[in-house]
Amino acid sequence: MADPPRRKPRALVTVPNLLSFCLVASVVVLLLVSSNSWFVFVHGVSYETITVVNEFPHDPEAFTQGLLYTGNDTLFESTGLYGQSSVRKVALRSGKVEELHKMDDSLFGEGLTLINNRLLQVTWLQKTGFIYDHKNLSQLGTFHHDMKDGWGLASDGKVLFGSDGSSTLYQLNPQTFKAVSKHVVYYNGHQVYNLNELEYIHGEVWANVYGADCIVRISPKDGAVLGWILLQSLRKEQIEAGYMGLDVLNGIAWNHEQERIFVTGKLWPKLYEIKVLPIKTPIEEGIIEQLCLRKPFKFL
């Protein structure tokens, strides 16, 4: 009778093997816990520049705080400064203000968005916002939000995204205006402070960084930086044309039907339709920190 087949001996779990397994598992867990680091590790960050497709007139006295496109060559804009703050309906091609709601002189207008056919606007240094009828800009009511301050607003049609000048991107319930989630935005270990005007584009939140000619593209899921768009050429072009009273780049609008992007700035005489293009040459180390990151905004 033949000997029965011998069973293959089981592998012993040695201490070195166990330590190696634990080390690998720990690294994976750390990456997963830090969603920003994990996303950047897997996908990387894009770096883009722009080319100008069209130029349109813009009120050079408009201290632009919020900007949105609603179709039919129509923009809505929120402007700031005490005594000059407003919400306005603007014809894209002519820059003509077709409707205007002037705010009380004690208010400093900030970000603006449209959801459920209502315009929502936040105000600086306050947690109070205003609701307007988008047809005639009549004020319908007020709301109280969860952000520390009112800077930017955007919407995907279901939730609101907000900024308060910090490095935090908020998601707000559009009925209660309570914070659904908060994500601190980091780039290379640095907080991206001064998140300002916002726009929701292709599943991303695009944000002006106050004081920089840069737009940061943010994942609304976890606050990860998806990319940077460099727009320094717009300021240079206007200065060379003799426009010296420019304030900061601020204002992003998105025409989702035709996939057109519009940008402008505070006290800018022009509004630009732009196309975003990848930067093909490698980005110099530290250039984004130099061009796009700023220290936290301090109140005067």
Side-chain angles (χ1 to χ4, degrees), residues 63-133:
F63 198 75
T64 305
Q65 303 287 64
L67 188 70
L68 62 143
Y69 181 91
T70 59
N72 298 320
D73 281 348
T74 299
L75 296 164
F76 285 93
E77 186 173 10
S78 171
T79 68
L81 298 177
Y82 293 113
Q84 300 180 39
S85 293
S86 69
V87 177
R88 49 182 67 184
K89 179 181 178 181
V90 180
L92 169 66
R93 295 191 177 279
S94 66
K96 180 182 177 182
V97 178
E98 297 182 333
E99 299 278 352
L100 186 142
H101 171 88
K102 187 180 183 303
M103 302 173 68
D104 187 89
D105 288 352
S106 65
L107 297 171
F108 196 115
E110 284 281 350
L112 184 75
T113 194
L114 179 71
I115 188 169
N116 298 327
N117 293 319
R118 301 181 303 167
L119 289 167
L120 304 179
Q121 179 199 38
V122 288
T123 51
W124 191 41
L125 300 181
Q126 298 188 34
K127 292 190 174 185
T128 300
F130 295 92
I131 305 171
Y132 303 97
D133 186 327

Side-chain angles (χ1 to χ4, degrees), residues 14 58-59 286:
T14 64
H58 181 253
D59 181 358

Side-chain angles (χ1 to χ4, degrees), residues 3-282:
D3 292 335
R6 296 181 180 179
R7 293 183 178 179
K8 187 176 181 180
R10 295 182 180 177
L12 296 177
V13 180
T14 64
V15 172
N17 287 338
L18 183 60
L19 289 176
S20 298
F21 173 79
C22 291
L23 179 60
V24 172
S26 298
V27 171
V28 171
V29 168
L30 285 173
L31 286 172
L32 289 174
V33 168
S34 177
S35 56
N36 278 276
S37 299
W38 176 251
F39 189 95
V40 171
F41 176 75
V42 175
H43 298 277
V45 176
S46 68
Y47 302 96
E48 295 157 311
T49 185
I50 60 102
T51 185
V52 174
V53 178
N54 282 306
E55 296 181 5
F56 303 100
H58 181 253
D59 181 358
E61 296 184 0
F63 198 75
T64 305
Q65 303 287 64
L67 188 70
L68 62 143
Y69 181 91
T70 59
N72 298 320
D73 281 348
T74 299
L75 296 164
F76 285 93
E77 186 173 10
S78 171
T79 68
L81 298 177
Y82 293 113
Q84 300 180 39
S85 293
S86 69
V87 177
R88 49 182 67 184
K89 179 181 178 181
V90 180
L92 169 66
R93 295 191 177 279
S94 66
K96 180 182 177 182
V97 178
E98 297 182 333
E99 299 278 352
L100 186 142
H101 171 88
K102 187 180 183 303
M103 302 173 68
D104 187 89
D105 288 352
S106 65
L107 297 171
F108 196 115
E110 284 281 350
L112 184 75
T113 194
L114 179 71
I115 188 169
N116 298 327
N117 293 319
R118 301 181 303 167
L119 289 167
L120 304 179
Q121 179 199 38
V122 288
T123 51
W124 191 41
L125 300 181
Q126 298 188 34
K127 292 190 174 185
T128 300
F130 295 92
I131 305 171
Y132 303 97
D133 186 327
H134 78 288
K135 294 181 180 179
N136 56 22
L137 301 185
S138 61
Q139 186 177 318
L140 301 177
T142 62
F143 63 91
H144 189 81
H145 58 77
D146 259 359
M147 300 185 292
K148 295 180 180 179
D149 192 1
W151 281 48
L153 280 181
S155 173
D156 66 354
K158 296 180 181 179
V159 300
L160 295 174
F161 301 97
S163 64
D164 60 5
S166 68
S167 57
T168 299
L169 178 68
Y170 294 79
Q171 289 191 29
L172 305 172
N173 182 302
Q175 278 74 48
T176 66
F177 302 98
K178 299 295 183 183
V180 177
S181 67
K182 304 175 186 179
H183 298 296
V184 177
V185 179
Y186 285 90
Y187 173 76
N188 279 357
H190 302 284
Q191 292 188 48
V192 183
Y193 293 109
N194 305 338
L195 297 178
N196 200 6
E197 212 270 332
L198 307 176
E199 186 63 80
Y200 184 83
I201 300 177
H202 279 319
E204 304 173 0
V205 176
W206 290 21
N208 286 119
V209 176
Y210 179 78
D213 291 326
C214 303
I215 292 173
V216 58
R217 296 169 44 213
I218 307 168
S219 167
K221 296 179 181 179
D222 54 19
V225 171
L226 305 176
W228 290 96
I229 303 170
L230 308 183
L231 300 97
Q232 284 73 16
S233 60
L234 298 182
R235 178 182 298 276
K236 180 180 178 182
E237 182 266 336
Q238 290 181 96
I239 290 175
E240 289 177 350
Y243 299 113
M244 305 304 295
L246 308 177
D247 207 295
V248 299
L249 176 80
N250 202 47
I252 311 167
W254 168 242
N255 175 355
H256 68 89
E257 293 180 349
Q258 298 178 322
E259 300 199 340
R260 301 164 72 195
I261 304 167
F262 305 97
V263 297
T264 189
K266 304 172 190 284
L267 309 180
W268 283 26
K270 292 183 180 182
L271 180 142
Y272 296 91
E273 179 184 350
I274 61 169
K275 184 177 181 181
V276 175
L277 303 171
I279 296 176
K280 297 180 180 180
T281 56

